[in-house]
Amino acid sequence: MMAKHLVIGEISNGAFRNVSFEAVAAAKMMDESAEVVGVVLGESVASVAEEMVQHGADRVLTVESEKLKEYTPDGYSQVLMEIIEQEKPDAIVMGHTYIGRDIAPKIASKLGSGLVSDAVAIEGGSTFIRPIYSGKAFEKVAIEEGLQFVTIRPNNIPALEKDTGKSGNVEAFNVEVKDLQTIIKEVVRNTSTGVDLSEASIIVSGGRGLKSEENFKMLEDLADVLNGAVGASRGACDAEYCDYAMQIGQTGKVVTPDLYIAVGLSGAIQHVAGMSNSKIIVAINKDPEAEIFQIADYGIVGDLFDIVPKLTEEFKKV
Ligand code: FAD
């Protein structure tokens, strides 16, 4: 019998987070012949749901409710559990985002299933590779029995190419969303350039070397030109140069951009834990002995206050 893989998509600001499409690709990698069923929850999501089909899902189930406008653990788990009970999937895949980190263990424990979290690659359909020890090593994990539940790290498993010719196969899933115990009163979105840090393909990240909140603006200018996002070390956040929402590292966000430009940060192990899997790392630091140079692909030894404005001007010309 054909396997069924459920992919839980995520909407942010009215559009899919790219990791939703990467999860569809992951579900296909696990079993090319499986039926891939997308799931989208939100207030008005039906109009965009088709995009999951265009990225490879066979069909998409939507649940629209004002109560699902923002993520809540009780609202999402109630609805997802009903969908899982009805659809009886063989596997569930979703992004290792703040929602995935929260809801996946909750649902896995309700189902009594295993969970592979933060997978960065899939081997042979059922072996998942995930970083351990703050990214210093990788382990291979397989769920040998029952439901396979996996969260995937954004920016690691490429999404399938979008086929805009595909349409349809979106159906409303009928479920009554119960009253929520968690009420979201206000959502404060804090991204300086508007590009989502965890999915950005270019990140310009600053540390204590920036010396002030005002100087951090310099990084925004560079990130704007590159269409990237601005991140930070905890040193910079602690010094109040920027918001903690921008912190990258062991106790901040884990990112895997194509290009990570580390500016005036030393490369402490706790910072490196959140960015060492970036595809290309460029470090700018005045100290040639700075630890960050040990993991950098390209290093610029010098004063960031000279180098960053020059880079911004040069990239503007491209
Ligand atoms: P510093 O280490 O002070 O480095 C500043 C760098 O700027 C230096 O290398 C200096 O040479 C360079 N510099 C200064 N002036 C210039 C200039 N003009 N031009 C060029 N370079 C210049 N940290 C994180 O980042 N993320 C985490 O998630 C995190 N979690 C932690 C969890 C725990 C439990 C603990 C104990 C610590 C954690 N830390 C984390 C903190 C971490 O250990 C470091 O203290 C922090 O990363 C240092 O920040 P920094 O690199 O900005 O500052």
Side-chain angles (χ1 to χ4, degrees):
M1 208 172 78
M2 190 199 271
K4 189 189 283 184
H5 292 182
L6 216 62
V7 174
I8 302 167
E10 269 185 55
I11 302 273
S12 172
N13 291 333
F16 273 107
R17 303 188 71 169
N18 207 40
V19 71
S20 313
F21 307 137
E22 294 168 358
V24 171
K28 285 271 178 208
M29 280 170 84
M30 288 163 68
D31 180 353
E32 199 150 347
S33 65
E35 182 192 22
V36 174
V37 182
V39 175
V40 200
L41 316 184
E43 193 181 27
S44 47
V45 291
S47 55
V48 291
E50 204 170 69
E51 255 198 282
M52 262 184 128
V53 175
Q54 294 175 340
H55 276 96
D58 295 295
R59 61 189 170 95
V60 182
L61 302 172
T62 60
V63 180
E64 294 196 306
S65 164
E66 202 196 340
K67 292 178 190 158
L68 300 172
K69 185 177 174 196
E70 300 294 343
Y71 168 73
T72 59
D74 46 345
Y76 269 53
S77 61
Q78 181 229 318
V79 171
L80 289 173
M81 281 304 289
E82 293 200 31
I83 293 175
I84 292 163
E85 264 161 38
Q86 193 161 316
E87 290 289 325
K88 299 187 178 33
D90 301 283
I92 305 175
V93 188
M94 68 183 303
H96 194 69
T97 59
Y98 81 95
I99 294 180
R101 288 183 203 202
D102 192 51
I103 197 87
K106 188 185 263 291
I107 291 182
S109 77
K110 278 182 198 255
L111 295 170
S113 76
L115 172 66
V116 178
S117 67
D118 203 16
V120 293
I122 302 170
E123 261 182 22
S126 57
T127 302
F128 304 94
I129 299 174
R130 62 186 297 273
I132 52 169
Y133 304 129
S134 300
K136 284 215 204 81
F138 291 88
E139 68 174 356
K140 291 183 180 182
V141 194
I143 299 174
E144 288 179 343
E145 269 178 32
L147 179 86
Q148 291 191 306
F149 200 158
V150 193
T151 64
I152 59 159
R153 185 181 285 198
N155 273 352
N156 281 272
I157 295 169
L160 302 171
E161 212 159 298
K162 186 173 180 179
D163 180 353
T164 47
K166 279 190 177 170
S167 64
N169 292 334
V170 175
E171 23 177 318
F173 183 87
N174 206 359
V175 55
E176 192 198 327
V177 187
K178 296 193 184 119
D179 283 342
L180 303 177
Q181 291 171 318
T182 320
I183 309 288
I184 308 288
K185 293 202 161 174
E186 189 189 5
V187 176
V188 181
R189 295 193 199 279
N190 212 336
T191 49
S192 47
T193 58
V195 180
D196 185 337
L197 197 54
S198 52
E199 297 202 326
S201 57
I202 297 179
I203 293 176
V204 182
S205 193
R208 217 154 19 198
L210 266 296
K211 305 233 166 16
S212 73
E213 184 182 359
E214 206 188 343
N215 290 337
F216 237 75
K217 173 84 181 56
M218 194 189 293
L219 303 186
E220 281 173 31
D221 294 342
L222 178 55
D224 274 345
V225 178
L226 296 171
N227 196 25
V230 179
S233 71
R234 178 152 137 195
C237 300
D238 285 344
E240 298 185 359
Y241 302 162
C242 57
D243 195 272
Y244 279 103
M246 291 157 73
Q247 184 185 318
I248 290 167
Q250 189 181 313
T251 44
K253 293 199 166 77
V254 176
V255 296
T256 322
D258 294 332
L259 173 63
Y260 190 91
I261 306 179
V263 183
L265 58 82
S266 58
I269 181 131
Q270 297 91 348
H271 184 79
V272 167
M275 46 66 74
S276 60
N277 287 333
S278 303
K279 294 184 185 88
I280 294 176
I281 298 170
V282 176
I284 303 170
N285 199 301
K286 67 178 184 185
D287 175 8
E289 303 295 321
E291 300 243 326
I292 192 72
F293 287 127
Q294 290 185 13
I295 57 155
D297 298 285
Y298 300 94
I300 306 174
V301 179
D303 187 343
L304 70 93
F305 295 102
D306 286 339
I307 296 160
V308 174
K310 281 183 189 150
L311 282 178
T312 307
E313 285 316 307
E314 286 304 312
F315 282 124
K316 270 186 193 161
K317 293 178 195 164
V318 181

